[in-house]
């Protein structure tokens, strides 16, 4: 996203500099007008931009958004034949809101992007703290050298916080900081305003190096890790407690109230509120999803990151066969094929048709045909659901499987380390310790890794480092867990010093890993009830409510068809809502399509909300969850809609 933003700024300077006249004067003026927070945020994000470029891009974005808003206004007016008398005051108000809101939103979002990006990066980096600090603590228990410990954590961790640590070490090299103590103090104070527990933990790490005995040093290091784990846990639990109100708001304004109003829309005509299907579409499928998206985004931006998911490397053998472009094209083709009956219903009434199978598909429900049994527009919804689901599952299932394997291996790893460390503590050589551990852990993935390590040590006469990390024969060649690889590097460093000391440290590291896993599990449990409710709402409750209310809508529409509308004040209704396309005159099949599209959007939004709470910014898990949830939701929506329409059809007046 940052790369696209930078390109947009450069293009704006190239093509829209005429907006500000003298670009040099505007550059000076922009640098004086922006706040220090803006400059600090821009520096923190690392974007190669200047303030005047961002401001010029925001002006250009506002103009483009205004042109786009005018384009939408023209489409809306064309829908009413460019007659202001036919449009109605409500539609005119909608046009005015679009014309004003789009440019203002573009101006605000673009100009504030560096601040939002920096804030997101800092909050997201908090999830890296347990991993980075655990590497530092584990290294110091083996070798009490703080500078080397920081280098190890910066080298082995692929997190964004580790990048800041690498910058800190570079600053130390070029003498920006006089000593490692000064560097630690600077780093702790820099992140202290975002994470008080990281600041306290770093000060404890610094003081641990100056402890006289190894026992006191280890106690202080353990305390620093406990501070981070407890801080991470309490921060996430506090966030979970604050989620109840936002969840209630989303459930109310996104599910209950809008879907309950569906049944009341035809009844509103009895008091002169003759809404058009266009207005219903605009509210349900454009305005409401945008509002929900912005609110969900706001809530998730405040989510404190915890434990980042395992990174799936792009060079993994199982991913080489994935062709995202081919998957996308094939999914779209299959979706279009499924949607053909619904598309025919929407398009073929424009053509003169008499008799034949096509007429059977395109007749409205009140004229017979297939729509008398179930809405043909459901085929369009099935096509959309099939296309999205096929692409998501076909593309991201391999990623999900790899990640599950990594997590399963990491779950086994702490117990495996304990077995290995106990053997090393007895003074046994590495080859014997790995052989014993492989037999003890036979049948597990880590058992296979240790077995290969033992073979490399005994049969191929490799040293411990090569037995594990050799690019061709190393036992960790196909182990894609950064955590496992980093700790085994620690093991290699430790055995160079002393087998017994390395064994003791490995056993303690196993305990630390167990602590990390316990805290991660407790955080997931704290969020589990909430996220499971959201997923159930997306796949079951919202489709069920929508299906039932659509059946009630059809019943009310049939009842209202018998009313003498001359009794209604047409002039008042038309002035508010327009004279064309009353919802009462729209076939129920079209209404099913509009609400069905809203259900699809709800699945996208609620799945994003649930996954955002559970996993953070994890595209792989989100796409996989979406691929599973969408077909379930649309299938349930279709079944309930058909059943309720048939059931309420029997209650309609003849």
């Amino acid at each position: 996203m940052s790369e696209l933003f930078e390109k947009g700024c450069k293009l704006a300077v190239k093509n829209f500099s005429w907006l500000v006249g003298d670009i040099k004067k505007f550059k000076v003026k922009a640098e004086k007008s922006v706040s220090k927070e803006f400059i600090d945020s821009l520096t923190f994000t690392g974007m190669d931009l200047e303030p005047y470029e961002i401001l010029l891009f925001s002006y250009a974005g506002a103009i483009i958004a205004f042109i786009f808003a005018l384009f939408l206004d023209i489409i809306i007016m064309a829908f009413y034949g460019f007659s202001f008398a036919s449009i109605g005051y409500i539609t005119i108000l909608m046009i005015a809101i679009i014309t004003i809101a789009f440019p203002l939103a573009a101006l605000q979002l673009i100009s504030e992007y560096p601040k939002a990006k920096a804030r997101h990066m800092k909050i997201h980096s908090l999830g890296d703290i347990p991993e980075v600090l655990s590497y530092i603590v584990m290294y110091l228990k083996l070798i009490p050298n703080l500078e080397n410990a920081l280098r190890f954590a910066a080298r082995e961790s692929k997190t964004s916080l580790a990048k800041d640590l690498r910058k800190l070490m570079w600053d130390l090299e070029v003498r920006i900081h006089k000593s490692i103590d000064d560097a630690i103090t600077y780093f702790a104070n820099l992140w202290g305003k975002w994470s008080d527990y990281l600041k306290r933990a770093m000060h404890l790490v610094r003081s641990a190096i100056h402890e006289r005995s190894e026992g006191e040093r280890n106690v202080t290091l353990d305390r620093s890790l406990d501070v981070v784990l407890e801080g991470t846990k309490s921060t996430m639990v506090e966030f979970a407690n604050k989620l109840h109100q936002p969840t209630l708001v989303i459930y109310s304004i996104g599910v209950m109230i809008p879907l309950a109003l569906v049944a009341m829309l035809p009844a509103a005509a009895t008091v002169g509120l003759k809404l058009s299907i266009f207005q219903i579409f605009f509210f349900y499928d454009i305005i409401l999803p945008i509002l929900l998206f912005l609110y969900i985004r706001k809530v998730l931006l405040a989510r404190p990151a915890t434990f980042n998911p395992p990174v799936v490397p792009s060079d993994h053998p199982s991913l080489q066969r994935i062709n995202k472009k081919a998957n996308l094209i094939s999914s779209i083709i299959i979706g279009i094929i499924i949607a053909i009956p619904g598309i025919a219903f929407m398009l073929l009434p424009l053509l003169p048709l008499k008799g034949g199978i096509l007429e059977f598909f395109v007749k409205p429900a009140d004229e017979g045909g297939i729509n008398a049994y179930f809405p043909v527009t459901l085929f369009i919804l099935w096509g959309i659901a099939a296309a999205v689901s096929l692409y998501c599952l076909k593309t991201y299932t391999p990623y999900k499987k790899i990640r599950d394997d990594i997590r399963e291996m990491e779950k086994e790893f702490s117990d495996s380390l304990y077995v290995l460390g106990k053997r090393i503590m007895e003074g046994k050589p590495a080859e014997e310790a790995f052989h014993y551990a492989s037999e003890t852990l036979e049948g597990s993935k880590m058992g296979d890794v240790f077995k290969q390590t033992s073979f490399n040590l005994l049969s191929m006469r490799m040293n411990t480092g090569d037995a594990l990390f050799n690019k061709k024969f190393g036992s960790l060649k196909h182990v894609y867990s950064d955590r496992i690889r980093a700790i085994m590097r620690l093991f290699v460093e430790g055995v160079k010093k002393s087998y017994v000391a390395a064994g003791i440290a490995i056993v303690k590291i196993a305990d630390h890993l167990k602590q990390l896993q316990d805290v991660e599990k407790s955080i997931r449990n704290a969020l589990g009830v909430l996220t499971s409710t959201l997923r159930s709402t997306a796949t079951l409750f919202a489709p069920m409510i929508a299906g039932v209310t659509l059946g009630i809508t059809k019943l009310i529409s049939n009842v209202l068809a018998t009313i003498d509308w001359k009794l209604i004040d047409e002039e008042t209704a038309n002035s508010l809502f327009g004279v064309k396309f009353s919802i009462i005159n729209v076939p129920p099949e079209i209404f099913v399509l509009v609400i069905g599209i809203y259900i699809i959007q709800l699945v996208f939004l609620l799945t994003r909300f649930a996954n955002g709470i559970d996993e953070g910014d994890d595209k792989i898990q989100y796409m996989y969850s979406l691929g599973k949830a969408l077909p379930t939701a649309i299938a349930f929506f279709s079944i309930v809609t058909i059943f309720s329409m048939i059931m309420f059809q029997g209650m309609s007046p003849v």
Side-chain angles (χ1 to χ4, degrees):
M1 186 65 181
S2 296
E3 294 179 1
L4 290 175
F5 185 81
E6 289 185 42
K7 289 180 181 178
C9 290
K10 300 299 182 183
L11 286 173
V13 172
K14 184 179 180 180
N15 299 305
F16 289 89
S17 56
W18 53 269
L19 287 173
V20 295
D22 191 337
I23 193 70
K24 293 183 179 179
K25 290 183 179 180
F26 179 73
K27 181 178 180 180
V28 175
K29 183 179 178 181
E31 289 177 352
K32 292 180 179 179
S33 63
V34 297
S35 64
K36 186 178 183 300
E37 181 188 0
F38 185 93
I39 298 295
D40 292 342
S41 299
L42 191 58
T43 303
F44 185 85
T45 58
M47 290 187 290
D48 185 22
L49 293 172
E50 295 185 52
Y52 82 96
E53 294 175 311
I54 298 172
L55 291 180
L56 189 56
F57 184 33
S58 67
Y59 298 159
I63 291 175
I64 293 171
F66 179 73
I67 294 172
F68 179 70
L70 289 179
F71 177 71
L72 290 180
D73 295 342
I74 292 172
I75 292 176
I76 294 172
M77 293 178 67
F79 197 72
Y80 287 91
F82 295 97
S83 171
F84 281 98
S86 302
I87 291 177
Y89 295 142
I90 296 262
T91 309
I92 292 174
L93 179 62
M94 290 164 57
I95 291 174
I97 291 173
I98 290 174
T99 309
I100 296 172
F102 275 33
L104 290 178
L107 186 69
Q108 173 71 13
L109 290 174
I110 295 173
S111 62
E112 294 294 313
Y113 178 78
K115 291 183 182 179
K117 178 67 176 177
R119 186 164 54 250
H120 177 265
M121 287 175 64
K122 289 173 181 176
I123 292 176
H124 188 72
S125 295
L126 299 182
D128 309 334
I129 293 173
E131 178 182 323
V132 171
L133 193 77
S134 65
Y135 288 169
I136 295 172
V137 168
M138 292 173 191
Y139 190 95
L140 290 174
K141 286 191 172 184
L142 279 170
I143 305 169
N145 185 309
L146 183 55
E147 188 171 339
N148 287 342
L150 294 176
R151 291 186 193 282
F152 175 80
R155 182 178 70 248
E156 295 300 328
S157 178
K158 304 298 189 294
T159 61
S160 53
L161 185 61
K163 293 180 182 178
D164 284 353
L165 205 55
R166 285 193 285 275
K167 183 179 183 302
L168 182 75
M169 301 313 295
W170 172 253
D171 291 344
L172 186 64
E173 289 285 344
V174 298
R175 301 299 180 186
I176 292 177
H177 306 295
K178 295 179 181 179
S179 65
I180 189 65
D181 283 350
D182 289 342
I184 285 287
T185 302
Y186 169 80
F187 188 78
N189 291 334
L190 176 67
W191 283 93
K193 57 185 177 181
W194 292 94
S195 172
D196 179 64
Y197 56 85
L198 174 60
K199 181 179 180 179
R200 290 186 286 124
M202 293 303 291
H203 285 310
L204 284 169
V205 166
R206 185 185 61 179
S207 66
I209 298 302
H210 302 294
E211 298 289 352
R212 296 180 180 179
S213 69
E214 184 180 352
E216 290 176 350
R217 183 175 71 247
N218 288 338
V219 168
T220 306
L221 290 173
D222 288 340
R223 177 59 185 157
S224 70
L225 192 57
D226 289 340
V227 166
V228 163
L229 293 178
E230 286 299 321
T232 302
K233 182 179 177 181
S234 61
T235 302
M236 202 62 187
V237 169
E238 183 181 352
F239 173 71
N241 293 333
K242 291 179 180 179
L243 278 176
H244 293 289
Q245 183 177 354
T247 304
L248 184 62
V249 170
I250 291 170
Y251 187 71
S252 300
I253 67 172
V255 180
M256 289 301 299
I257 295 175
L259 295 181
L261 286 174
V262 170
M264 299 176 61
L265 292 175
T270 59
V271 293
L273 306 181
K274 295 170 63 177
L275 294 170
S276 72
I277 191 62
F278 170 77
Q279 291 161 343
I280 301 300
F281 172 81
F282 190 80
F283 176 74
Y284 275 89
D285 296 342
I286 298 178
I287 297 295
L288 198 53
I290 290 175
L291 293 177
L292 283 172
F293 170 78
L294 294 175
Y295 185 72
I296 287 172
R297 182 175 178 271
K298 179 184 176 182
V299 173
L300 291 181
L301 281 176
R303 178 192 186 271
T306 50
F307 296 87
N308 293 319
V311 177
V312 179
S314 57
D315 60 347
H316 194 286
S318 299
L319 302 181
Q320 302 304 312
R321 299 186 299 272
I322 296 177
N323 188 329
K324 292 185 177 181
K325 186 176 181 181
N327 290 348
L328 179 62
I329 293 173
S330 61
S331 299
I332 291 174
I333 291 173
I334 292 173
I336 291 174
I337 292 172
I338 295 174
I340 283 176
I343 296 172
F345 173 78
M346 300 293 293
L347 298 179
L348 292 180
L350 302 176
L351 304 174
L353 289 173
K354 290 185 179 180
I357 187 66
L358 292 178
E359 186 182 17
F360 178 73
F361 277 99
V362 301
K363 277 185 178 180
D366 55 354
E367 297 180 15
I370 196 171
N371 286 290
Y373 304 97
F374 72 90
V376 178
T377 49
L378 286 175
F379 282 100
I380 297 177
L381 303 179
W382 296 345
I384 296 172
V388 173
S389 181
L390 284 172
Y391 173 75
C392 291
L393 294 179
K394 198 171 182 181
T395 304
Y396 291 97
T397 297
Y399 286 91
K400 179 70 166 53
K401 186 178 183 303
I402 294 167
R403 182 175 287 177
D404 289 344
D405 290 341
I406 293 173
R407 281 180 168 153
E408 185 64 30
M409 190 173 285
E410 288 179 347
K411 193 182 295 182
E412 298 173 355
F413 188 53
S414 59
D415 294 331
S416 306
L417 271 185
Y418 188 83
V419 174
L420 181 67
K422 280 293 186 181
R423 203 66 175 171
I424 293 287
M425 282 173 61
E426 297 172 1
K428 303 295 182 182
E431 55 269 24
E432 185 176 333
F434 277 109
H435 179 71
Y436 172 80
S438 67
E439 289 185 338
T440 305
L441 302 166
E442 188 175 0
S444 67
K445 293 180 180 179
M446 285 309 305
D448 295 337
V449 171
F450 287 169
K451 185 177 181 179
Q452 180 63 40
T453 308
S454 175
F455 176 82
N456 289 346
L457 289 167
L458 290 169
S459 301
M460 303 190 72
R461 300 298 179 182
M462 292 181 174
N463 59 40
T464 308
D466 287 339
L468 291 164
F469 296 105
N470 184 277
K471 292 183 179 180
K472 191 172 183 180
F473 300 106
S475 59
L476 296 179
K477 178 183 177 182
H478 295 299
V479 174
Y480 298 94
S481 168
D482 292 336
R483 182 180 296 179
I484 292 175
R485 296 178 71 88
I487 292 173
M488 293 313 293
R489 288 190 193 279
L490 274 176
F491 173 78
V492 173
E493 291 288 330
V495 294
K496 293 177 183 177
K497 176 185 176 184
S498 163
Y499 272 90
V500 175
I504 295 171
I506 287 295
V507 170
K508 290 180 179 178
I509 287 172
D511 292 335
H512 288 323
L513 286 179
K514 208 70 176 174
Q515 281 182 280
L516 287 170
Q517 290 170 355
D518 289 343
V519 171
E520 189 171 4
K521 184 178 179 181
S522 63
I523 289 173
R524 290 189 182 279
N525 289 338
L527 299 173
V529 175
L530 186 62
T531 54
S532 63
T533 302
L534 286 168
R535 290 189 175 94
S536 298
T537 300
T539 56
L540 296 176
F541 300 136
M544 181 180 67
I545 295 170
V548 172
T549 51
L550 283 171
I552 298 173
T553 301
K554 184 176 181 181
L555 171 63
I556 295 174
S557 297
N558 291 339
V559 172
L560 294 178
T562 63
I563 294 177
D564 185 1
W565 293 103
K566 294 180 181 179
L567 301 175
I568 304 297
D569 186 357
E570 293 286 344
E571 185 176 351
T572 302
N574 292 340
S575 65
L576 284 173
F577 298 96
V579 298
K580 300 177 73 175
F581 315 112
S582 167
I583 190 66
I584 300 170
N585 300 322
V586 173
E589 304 82 50
I590 303 296
F591 207 50
V592 168
L593 178 63
V594 171
I595 302 304
I597 291 173
Y598 180 62
I599 292 297
I600 290 175
Q601 293 171 324
L602 267 185
V603 174
F604 272 84
L605 292 169
L606 294 183
T607 302
R608 173 70 185 100
F609 190 42
N611 275 87
I613 292 171
D614 234 351
E615 306 284 348
D617 296 324
D618 184 6
K619 180 181 178 181
I620 293 173
Q621 185 63 42
Y622 169 65
M623 297 298 282
Y624 179 78
S625 299
L626 182 64
K628 292 184 66 178
L630 193 56
T632 304
I634 294 303
F636 200 64
F637 171 75
S638 302
I639 293 170
V640 175
T641 299
I642 294 169
F643 178 78
S644 61
M645 283 189 168
I646 292 173
M647 183 178 68
F648 287 114
Q649 180 72 26
M651 303 179 186
S652 302
V654 180

